[in-house]
Amino acid sequence: MAAVRIQEAASHRLDEIYCYTRDRWGIEQADRCITGLFEAFGRIESHEVMSRPVPAEFGVEGYFFRYERHLVYRRRLSNGDIGIVTILHERMHQIDRFREDFGL
């Protein structure tokens, strides 16, 4: 079974999500949000989360799925593991942020 690896940009986004949620709605809600994201990551390999291919205009190969109000972008790493590339809120300008997090 493939392991899930949190890439650097995704790690920063998780920190941002946690801090924003904690400051806005409290620690319990922030904990639930992050726990839910990690539970969703764990269901990728078994296809329990519905993923779609990243649109061609992004210029990278990978997939994304929605978790509540966030879009999680992932790709298969060279060793077969699943790499969580970034996590963006639905209100963020997806293409610009995505390219930024991919270093494009």
Side-chain angles (χ1 to χ4, degrees), residues 4-73:
V4 175
R5 307 281 180 206
I6 308 299
Q7 309 290 274
E8 185 176 356
S11 179
H12 292 297
R13 299 287 183 206
L14 285 166
D15 290 344
E16 290 172 355
I17 291 165
Y18 183 86
C19 291
Y20 178 84
T21 305
R22 179 200 61 209
D23 294 347
R24 184 109 176 171
W25 294 287
I27 291 173
E28 288 180 21
Q29 180 62 30
D31 288 346
R32 277 192 298 274
C33 179
I34 297 301
T35 299
L37 278 164
F38 275 90
E39 287 171 353
F41 300 161
R43 294 191 308 266
I44 293 171
E45 186 73 12
S46 64
H47 303 287
E48 293 177 60
V49 292
M50 178 78 83
S51 295
R52 297 180 188 168
V54 172
E57 61 264 23
F58 283 74
V60 296
E61 288 187 34
Y63 299 89
F64 72 98
F65 67 90
R66 178 178 291 279
Y67 175 79
E68 294 183 0
R69 300 191 134 235
H70 292 89
L71 298 171
V72 177
Y73 293 89

